[in-house]
Amino acid sequence: RRETALALGKVRDPSAVNPLIQQFQKDKIAEVKNACIVALGEIGDVSAVDALMRILQNKPKNENTADEFSRRSAARSIGQIAQIIQTGKTKILTPQNFLPDNKKLIEKPKYPKLTETFPIFRLAIGVLIQTLQNPRESQDAKREAAFALGALGDKSAIPVLQANLNNEDYYLAEISKEALKKISAFPDWKRNKIA
């Protein structure tokens, strides 16, 4: 079941979204559930965002690595869906790299107003901001939430991303910096001052 879920993600057929969500909801095995979450991100279909948000809306469980992985994967998958819609690229590196800013490639988004074109992403922004601000959340989930906020490109995420530019977690700080650069690539937000 795990391998089938992962294979469905590689095939990227949107008709697999509902079966993957159903499998995630009914399966008892954490590895299968997590494979479904990962596959939903790789498919890149916006219809999966609601189910992924519900995972993040549950409170994080202390020291539960399966729960941590599910939450991290849900945040990453939301960002991956936005990235696929905006650029067509499925590969994600977070952070992209540690090169100087002028060497980082930030692609122009296909949809300058993503949250207007796909309103479910407006709800996702609030969930991702809460994930990033939650002190009980794992660092991995916070990193992926910062990545996703950058992929969504909405200016409402600027304050929380700026607050993490000097985070003691160097990876989270770098991902937040990259996310702010992505937001600045959206035409409507170019006038915002990004630190």
Side-chain angles (χ1 to χ4, degrees):
R1 293 191 311 274
R2 181 190 67 202
E3 296 304 319
T4 301
L6 292 172
L8 287 170
K10 299 295 182 202
V11 173
R12 298 193 58 221
D13 184 344
S15 68
V17 169
N18 284 335
L20 284 166
I21 291 170
Q22 290 170 3
Q23 190 64 38
F24 167 79
Q25 291 170 340
K26 73 177 185 178
D27 211 294
K28 303 278 191 249
I29 308 295
E31 290 83 5
V32 175
K33 292 169 83 68
N34 290 330
C36 292
I37 297 168
V38 170
L40 290 170
E42 289 183 338
I43 291 171
D45 191 272
V46 73
S47 65
V49 174
D50 185 57
L52 295 167
M53 282 190 320
R54 279 188 260 130
I55 295 167
L56 292 172
Q57 287 170 328
N58 294 325
K59 291 182 180 178
K61 298 173 184 160
N62 286 336
E63 299 180 24
N64 182 334
T65 55
D67 179 62
E68 275 185 30
F69 189 82
S70 293
R71 298 178 68 75
R72 181 191 93 181
S73 298
R76 182 181 186 91
S77 289
I78 292 170
Q80 190 170 17
I81 291 167
Q83 177 179 283
I84 290 169
I85 289 170
Q86 290 289 32
T87 67
K89 293 188 176 183
T90 57
K91 189 173 181 182
I92 295 175
L93 297 174
T94 53
Q96 179 185 25
N97 57 51
F98 289 98
L99 295 173
D101 287 347
N102 62 350
K103 303 287 186 197
K104 292 187 180 199
L105 176 64
I106 303 294
E107 293 192 33
K108 184 178 178 184
K110 182 177 177 182
Y111 297 97
K113 296 185 179 185
L114 183 69
T115 57
E116 289 180 20
T117 308
F118 303 96
I120 189 69
F121 284 132
R122 169 66 54 200
L123 299 173
I125 290 166
V127 173
L128 292 164
I129 287 173
Q130 287 177 348
T131 301
L132 188 51
Q133 292 177 322
N134 188 342
R136 294 185 59 213
E137 199 67 69
S138 74
Q139 287 303 106
D140 284 337
K142 289 181 179 186
R143 292 172 189 159
E144 297 302 345
F147 156 74
L149 288 167
L152 293 170
D154 192 271
K155 69 178 181 179
S156 63
I158 290 173
V160 71
L161 291 167
Q162 286 178 329
N164 282 286
L165 288 175
N166 295 314
N167 195 290
E168 61 186 30
D169 176 352
Y170 184 71
Y171 290 97
L172 177 56
E174 189 67 20
I175 294 166
S176 295
K177 187 176 178 183
E178 288 176 4
L180 287 165
K181 285 188 69 70
K182 287 178 185 176
I183 292 171
S184 72
F186 283 70
D188 289 351
W189 315 141
K190 283 192 177 186
R191 292 190 188 118
N192 287 317
K193 184 178 179 183
I194 307 295

